Amino acid sequence: MRLLLSVDMEGATGVTCWDHVDPKGAEYNRFRHLLTADVNAAIEGALAGAGGSIEKVLVSDGHWNGGNVLIEELNPMAELNAGTISPFSMVEGVQEGDCDAAIFVGYHAMIGTQNAILDHTWSSRCVANVWLNGRLVGETGLNAAVCGAFGVPVLMISGDSAVCEEAKAWIPGIETAVVKWAHGRTAARCLPPSKTGALIKSAAERAVRRWVASQEAPAAPSLPAPLRVTAPVQIRVQFAFSQMADSAALLPGARRVDGRLIEFESPDMPTAYRSFRAAVSLANV
């Protein structure tokens, strides 16, 4: 088995505010250790669930500048995709064609979700809403759809209770590890690392064990299927201000819908994903 771990930070153990996840924040370095521990817990669980059949673990650091996971503390079984800008960002490596399944660690809910820690979709500064083929979507759905385009199912996710529910709506049958329950955007009841590590490890172990069983026996319990979206893929992005949409509308093929909204169509999900990222980058200038 070859496994991709896509890593964000807002959903990591104990995180409740931007100071915890911003490299300029006083608390950031402390939370890098907690994030890396979450990643290691998922790796340990996956290794246990696979019973020795994992050939490769690729960790893709998808938060901020891709320099959050501490490689010196990372499980030696893993390789790390770090830095920015990479072609497929949070799921970099899935396009190489040698991933069987994915796990999402430290994820957060989409923009506008009630009682969700640091909810946003890609850019908290400029993105107000995103629709994928007419359905409101966050980073979980976007990244899972890219994985699905390459035939890769997402088996498990960790984060707060809101993102775990969001993931279930997009990926039926996904295993979840809830590490906190938000009372607002920057307040939550958090479990300590001694408990979250065990929860993440257990969820990853269950997820991978189910995947292994499905490969060995056709009658094994059903797994989350790769999330595939209908082509052509339509993306709509609503920005915080009209000036941001002015810039994003420069993207070739984009159509201005109203003052803050643009839309475009792409022939497939990987192209749509990269075009979406380009539009947000233009808007952030």
Side-chain angles (χ1 to χ4, degrees), residues 244-259:
M244 294 172 176
D246 291 343
S247 298
L250 295 174
L251 181 77
R255 185 178 77 86
R256 191 71 172 265
V257 178
D258 62 28

Side-chain angles (χ1 to χ4, degrees), residues 154-253:
V154 180
L155 305 182
M156 175 247 167
I157 190 169
S158 72
D160 69 8
S161 59
V163 76
C164 288
E165 290 304 308
E166 183 179 321
K168 290 176 185 177
W170 280 93
I171 312 163
I174 191 172
E175 295 280 357
T176 62
V178 177
V179 303
K180 53 197 167 189
W181 294 261
H183 309 308
R185 196 172 189 233
T186 57
R189 173 167 58 90
C190 303
L191 294 174
S194 59
K195 291 186 176 179
T196 59
L199 284 171
I200 293 169
K201 179 179 178 180
S202 178
E205 183 174 351
R206 289 194 307 271
V208 171
R209 183 177 292 116
R210 287 171 60 196
W211 185 89
V212 171
S214 74
Q215 306 306 300
E216 296 174 348
S222 61
L223 282 171
L227 177 59
R228 299 185 186 276
V229 297
T230 304
V233 180
Q234 184 193 67
I235 298 282
R236 279 193 161 205
V237 188
Q238 184 182 56
F239 294 96
F241 301 101
S242 60
Q243 184 176 351
M244 294 172 176
D246 291 343
S247 298
L250 295 174
L251 181 77

Side-chain angles (χ1 to χ4, degrees), residues 50-67:
S53 65
I54 289 187
E55 307 163 24
K56 175 183 178 181
V57 178
L58 180 60
V59 176
S60 285
D61 189 337
H63 178 71
W64 205 275
N65 61 357

Side-chain angles (χ1 to χ4, degrees), residues 261-276:
L261 187 67
I262 70 163
E263 68 178 11
F264 56 87
E265 284 192 352
S266 301
D268 51 53
M269 188 61 210
T271 305
Y273 186 75
R274 296 176 73 172
S275 295
F276 164 70

Side-chain angles (χ1 to χ4, degrees), residues 56-101:
K56 175 183 178 181
V57 178
L58 180 60
V59 176
S60 285
D61 189 337
H63 178 71
W64 205 275
N65 61 357
N68 311 281
V69 174
L70 295 167
I71 193 168
E72 63 270 29
E73 296 180 9
L74 188 62
N75 188 303
M77 178 68 187
E79 298 176 5
L80 178 63
N81 273 327
T84 190
I85 300 171
S86 56
F88 285 92
S89 189
M90 299 179 73
V91 289
E92 176 62 25
V94 73
Q95 76 276 19
E96 295 172 4
D98 62 351
C99 292
D100 296 305

